[in-house]
Amino acid sequence: MLLLLLAAAPVKTAEAASATITLTTDAEEIHAGDTVEVKLTISADATIGDFEAFLRYDDTIFEFYSAVDCITGDAGSLRIYDIGASPSAQERTYRIWFKALTQGECE
């Protein structure tokens, strides 16, 4: 009986394409107290649909300041949860603002 039910169940297929994620800023120098915009860009070889990712950063150097509603978090970790978004072209950009707390390097 169980085999019969499984045979009647609909088949769902997950499809994924390759993508490249880059983080960039136009700021050449950042000083403690400055607010800096970071652009997270996804470039794919197909139309981009739902997207979820986690971004970790050094929270002794930067403090999360602001972003669009689909980006949440603090204390060194951000969640980008863009589910249900309209499919878009082969590139999508999210803008994230951080406040510089001190001197240092953050990768």
Side-chain angles (χ1 to χ4, degrees):
M1 175 89 167
L2 182 58
L3 291 176
L4 186 58
L5 291 174
L6 289 176
V11 176
K12 292 193 175 197
T13 304
E15 297 181 20
S18 65
T20 301
I21 298 173
T22 55
L23 294 166
T24 58
T25 183
D26 293 335
E28 293 190 24
E29 275 192 27
I30 302 167
H31 300 96
D34 289 353
T35 300
V36 60
E37 177 186 34
V38 175
K39 295 175 191 165
L40 184 150
T41 303
I42 308 160
S43 301
D45 57 0
T47 300
I48 300 171
D50 292 342
F51 176 71
E52 181 177 17
F54 294 87
L55 173 66
R56 295 189 47 89
Y57 61 94
D58 187 338
D59 63 346
T60 64
I61 298 174
F62 283 115
E63 176 181 76
F64 173 61
Y65 183 75
S66 177
V68 293
D69 290 343
C70 68
I71 300 175
T72 59
D74 62 9
S77 182
L78 297 179
R79 179 183 186 200
I80 300 107
Y81 188 76
D82 201 1
I83 305 299
S86 297
S88 59
Q90 297 169 323
E91 186 172 285
R92 188 179 291 170
T93 299
Y94 301 89
R95 288 174 167 75
I96 308 167
W97 286 268
F98 293 92
K99 180 178 179 183
L101 300 175
T102 187
Q103 182 176 334
E105 291 184 22
C106 190
E107 295 182 18

